[in-house]
């Protein structure tokens, strides 16, 4: 995650990163099931059935390769990405409309808990809290700092990706 990226940019690039992981997961599943490379390539083409972010995680979920909680987080992530991509003007992770989506994401809460632990706070949040920054993002960047909501989101994305890989491994082990 680029700390100098805008909140909108962080979300959009994070979703693209998760989508790349979903591509790899699906290709592994298809290869594991002896699907030809030509057929795999055609499924991911612009007009193929797996050309969108949502079609990829829906396919993995439909066949049991990702758990329901991760599916829900992916649905919320799509909603968040679309919100930021289709909103004109400045929009931040701390804005009320964005915060309402973040508060529903289990990976964001996990990111907050991990960050609390990293900075030495001995608590396990039961609810997501999104604070309003005391300084501007530009002032924070000038001091080499990153907004807490942005760091929580970045850590949360890493946690989500790890959970998705674990889901896939679990399912593939059960198939063998």
């Amino acid at each position: 995650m680029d700390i100098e990226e805008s909140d909108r940019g962080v979300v959009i690039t994070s979703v693209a990163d998760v989508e790349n992981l979903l591509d790899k997961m699906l290709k592994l599943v298809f290869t594991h099931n002896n699907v030809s490379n030509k057929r795999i390539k055609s499924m991911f083409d612009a007009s193929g059935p797996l050309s969108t972010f949502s079609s990829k995680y829906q396919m993995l979920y439909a066949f049991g390769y990702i758990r329901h909680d991760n599916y829900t987080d992916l649905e919320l992530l799509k909603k968040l990405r679309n919100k930021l991509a289709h909103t004109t003007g400045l929009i931040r992770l701390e804005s009320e409309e964005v915060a309402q989506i973040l508060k529903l994401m289990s990976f964001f809460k996990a990111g907050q808990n991990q960050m609390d632990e990293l900075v030495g706070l001995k608590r396990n949040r039961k609810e997501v809290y999104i604070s309003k920054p005391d300084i501007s993002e530009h002032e924070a960047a000038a001091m080499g700092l990153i907004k807490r909501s942005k760091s929580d989101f970045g850590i949360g994305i890493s946690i989500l990706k790890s959970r998705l890989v674990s889901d896939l491994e679990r399912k593939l082990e059960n198939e063998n």
Side-chain angles (χ1 to χ4, degrees):
M1 177 177 74
D2 183 355
I3 64 169
E4 295 185 15
E5 185 71 68
S6 68
D7 290 1
R8 181 188 326 266
V10 164
V11 170
I12 291 170
T13 57
S14 293
V15 172
D17 193 34
V18 171
E19 186 170 5
N20 287 335
L21 175 62
L22 296 174
D23 285 351
K24 290 175 184 174
M25 291 171 65
L26 283 162
K27 289 174 181 174
L28 180 66
V29 168
F30 294 145
T31 302
H32 181 76
N33 287 287
N34 301 314
V35 177
S36 72
N37 287 335
K38 183 179 178 182
R39 175 76 42 120
I40 292 171
K41 187 176 183 316
S42 71
M43 286 192 275
F44 288 92
D45 282 346
S47 61
L50 297 173
S51 61
T52 65
F53 177 59
S54 62
S55 66
K56 293 168 187 174
Y57 66 77
Q58 287 174 5
M59 176 71 77
L60 286 163
Y61 179 67
F63 289 100
Y65 288 98
I66 58 174
R67 294 185 331 250
H68 183 73
D69 58 331
N70 291 328
Y71 172 81
T72 300
D73 274 349
L74 290 165
E75 283 279 298
L76 291 165
L77 190 57
K78 178 185 82 166
K79 181 177 181 180
L80 179 64
R81 184 222 30 212
N82 290 345
K83 178 80 170 153
L84 271 70
H86 300 290
T87 299
T88 58
L90 184 64
I91 189 162
R92 300 191 183 281
L93 293 174
E94 301 84 14
S95 69
E96 189 59 34
E97 57 200 315
V98 172
Q100 290 307 315
I101 300 169
L102 289 174
K103 289 176 181 181
L104 299 173
M105 297 173 158
S106 68
F107 74 83
F108 186 78
K109 180 179 175 184
Q112 284 192 322
N113 287 331
Q114 182 138 8
M115 190 64 178
D116 285 349
E117 188 177 313
L118 288 171
V119 297
L121 298 173
K122 304 281 190 225
R123 65 178 178 224
N124 192 3
R125 296 174 190 261
K126 291 187 171 49
E127 291 186 21
V128 172
Y129 175 73
I130 300 174
S131 62
K132 305 289 186 221
D134 295 330
I135 60 175
S136 76
E137 191 164 357
H138 295 294
E139 291 170 317
M143 294 185 288
L145 303 173
I146 184 173
K147 291 188 317 180
R148 177 64 195 262
S149 56
K150 193 183 283 187
S151 64
D152 292 346
F153 184 80
I155 291 170
I157 286 290
S158 295
I159 291 169
L160 175 62
K161 289 168 54 181
S162 177
R163 289 175 178 175
L164 292 169
V165 169
S166 293
D167 286 354
L168 177 66
E169 289 172 341
R170 173 194 43 82
K171 175 72 171 173
L172 291 174
E173 285 174 9
N174 289 339
E175 288 179 354
N176 292 330

